[in-house]
Amino acid sequence: MADFSRVKDLLERQRPGGEVAVRGWLRSARHSKDVSFLDLSDGSCLAGIQVVVPRDLVDHAAELRKLGTGSAVEVRGELVASPARGQSLEIQAGAVELVGDVAEDYPLQKKRHSFEFLRTISHLRPRTNTIGAVLRVRNCAARAIHRFFQDRGFVYLQTPIITESDCEGAGELFRVSTLDPSKPPRDAQGEVDFSQDFFGKQAYLTVSGQLEAEIAALALTNVYTFGPTFRAENSNTSRHLAEFWMIEPEMAFCDLAGQMDLTEEFLKEIFQTMLDECTEDLEFFNKRIDKTVLATLEHIVESPFERIDYTEAVAVLEKCGRDFEYPVRWGLHLQSEHERYLTEVHIGRPLIVTDYPRAIKPFYMYVNDDGKTVRAMDVLVPKIGEIVGGSQREHRLEELDIRLEECGLAPRDYWWYRDLRRHGSVPHSGFGLGFERLVQFATGMENIRDVIPFPRVPGFAEF
């Protein structure tokens, strides 16, 4: 494997010369009387490299005449200057070997395909320019996220995927069970007897790793999770997935102000890394998908984040004269249209809204002295609105019990979470960032299903 070069590395060479070996998949193959031209890509960068195959080599290996789009090949030859427009280097092939079979009835041709069509062939769509670029940006972002936290001494925590807790209290959970659905055991009341299930009670796929991260933060000080989460929300919008990845740091001895500082620093560093390391791919998105991609990312990196509280935000929206689709009133959730107005029009840069009404926020958020609001925060950015949500956690046992009851949750089901408030409880904070939401924002892709390799949505879990 060591003697094969990546296409990216070959194209970055400053001058031609030398024998090279490369392998990948053909985007196209043109055969003429005297020569064949192969456009070969290995996914290492947006561009492919042209391979020129002389007639005598084709005649020597008859299967080369059958090569077409989608076929996998290994090529050895000389890296030479290219006379073709748009490329400086190409390979003069000395040997071409077909790997596997010739691709037949290959559905991806050298033309634009709709994203709806590409979702039906998710096993092949990473070979397209757009999805290949998305996956490279995802990789860059994931690497930058780990580097950000590791450089600051955070411990990477793997939280459970199967849980008995509903962190958000919303009830949109996927149940995990080994019981026979056609004839489950029943208790004396005729209800399904989950005591006979695998875990001895009802279990679910997690909606968040936050509660477990709080356990670790109250021992290791600063931790973060980065893993899959699940929501059984029957929504078919361009912003929702049933399975998605979340980044959730949790910091002990940290109040809301400290968390907001870290969040701003985090977003700026991640986006700057993307700009530095994914230049070619982001320029592609800026040209083909959304002409504001680069300017928006640069704007966030360069701009200080404004901070206002929810009450002020509602007052601004009520007085702005806009005819919003959703009503604006203190005590209601801010919708995407409201969030976008605040960040795009009213402030003109990224914005952090704090201190939301307690009635619309989960049980774990710290209750302010006014008794009406909690120490929550949402980071709003242009084009999508909220991108990060977080809060200072309620570390007072008495207040936590009140909030659990308010939210219709049984304190006994959260005995261990309550126990943390009895043994060395300290102020602590954390936030959550949907990874796909981050990638969708950075690339300008319209539908979140196109920024995850294999989307899971209502009615669809193929591949």
Side-chain angles (χ1 to χ4, degrees), residues 300-311:
I300 290 176
V301 169
E302 296 167 359
S303 301
F305 289 18
E306 183 70 34
R307 301 179 185 185
I308 64 174
D309 64 30
Y310 169 88
T311 300

Side-chain angles (χ1 to χ4, degrees), residues 150-412:
Q150 292 293 325
D151 287 350
R152 288 159 180 79
F154 280 65
V155 175
Y156 177 34
L157 180 70
Q158 295 79 36
T159 52
I161 291 175
I162 299 174
T163 179
E164 297 173 2
S165 302
D166 179 4
C167 177
E168 299 298 326
E172 297 165 341
L173 302 167
F174 288 101
R175 182 176 286 114
V176 176
S177 175
T178 59
L179 297 180
D180 184 345
S182 66
K183 48 182 179 180
R186 302 283 179 177
D187 59 22
Q189 289 73 41
E191 302 292 333
V192 175
D193 185 3
F194 285 102
S195 68
Q196 298 186 46
D197 206 348
F198 187 90
F199 295 106
K201 59 174 61 176
Q202 294 192 64
Y204 311 93
L205 296 180
T206 185
V207 298
S208 170
Q210 176 200 315
L211 302 188
E212 291 84 2
E214 288 188 52
I215 294 175
L218 293 176
L220 304 175
T221 306
N222 293 326
V223 303
Y224 72 103
T225 76
F226 190 172
T229 54
F230 308 84
R231 297 282 173 89
E233 182 177 1
N234 190 16
S235 176
N236 274 297
T237 76
S238 62
R239 292 162 53 91
H240 289 89
L241 291 166
E243 175 184 288
F244 54 97
W245 288 65
M246 287 285 289
I247 302 100
E248 297 177 289
E250 203 70 33
M251 297 81 70
F253 305 101
C254 180
D255 60 13
L256 187 66
Q259 180 207 285
M260 289 190 290
D261 290 341
L262 182 80
T263 306
E264 180 174 349
E265 184 182 358
F266 170 79
L267 288 175
K268 288 184 174 182
E269 182 164 319
I270 301 309
F271 289 140
Q272 184 63 66
T273 300
M274 289 181 178
L275 289 167
D276 292 342
E277 299 181 9
C278 291
T279 305
E280 181 186 42
D281 291 320
L282 290 177
E283 287 176 347
F284 169 82
F285 290 117
N286 200 72
K287 180 179 180 181
R288 297 292 184 90
I289 303 298
D290 181 347
K291 295 180 180 179
T292 68
V293 161
L294 291 175
T296 300
L297 294 180
E298 290 166 354
H299 177 64
I300 290 176
V301 169
E302 296 167 359
S303 301
F305 289 18
E306 183 70 34
R307 301 179 185 185
I308 64 174
D309 64 30
Y310 169 88
T311 300
E312 181 182 349
V314 170
V316 167
L317 293 168
E318 288 177 330
K319 296 175 183 177
C320 73
R322 280 283 182 95
D323 184 19
F324 293 111
E325 179 181 356
Y326 293 93
V328 176
R329 188 171 67 253
W330 201 98
L332 298 180
H333 288 282
L334 297 181
Q335 302 297 324
S336 179
E337 59 176 340
H338 308 143
E339 295 167 341
R340 291 190 59 182
Y341 176 85
L342 290 168
T343 183
E344 294 174 8
V345 180
H346 179 66
I347 298 298
R349 62 179 186 273
L351 168 68
I352 303 178
V353 179
T354 66
D355 302 304
Y356 284 78
R358 67 187 288 170
I360 64 173
K361 288 297 183 179
F363 69 90
Y364 52 74
M365 296 187 176
Y366 185 96
V367 178
N368 287 320
D369 292 341
D370 62 13
K372 299 188 301 181
T373 62
V374 292
R375 290 185 189 171
M377 70 105 202
D378 286 339
V379 179
L380 312 183
V381 293
K383 297 196 297 184
I384 65 170
E386 179 201 345
I387 194 170
V388 174
S391 72
Q392 183 172 325
R393 314 312 190 189
E394 183 56 79
H395 66 278
R396 302 164 297 182
L397 180 59
E398 183 177 351
E399 290 290 343
L400 177 62
D401 284 345
I402 292 172
R403 292 290 287 134
L404 283 167
E405 294 284 356
E406 280 181 5
C407 295
L409 301 172
R412 66 179 179 276

Side-chain angles (χ1 to χ4, degrees), residues 99-128:
V99 181
D101 297 327
V102 173
E104 297 180 358
D105 302 322
Y106 188 65
L108 291 174
Q109 299 304 313
K110 203 166 186 178
K111 65 176 185 178
R112 288 196 179 186
H113 297 279
S114 72
F115 293 124
E116 291 80 4
F117 168 71
L118 292 178
R119 288 178 215 131
T120 68
I121 53 169
S122 287
H123 59 305
L124 294 174
R125 71 175 185 164
R127 300 191 196 181
T128 65

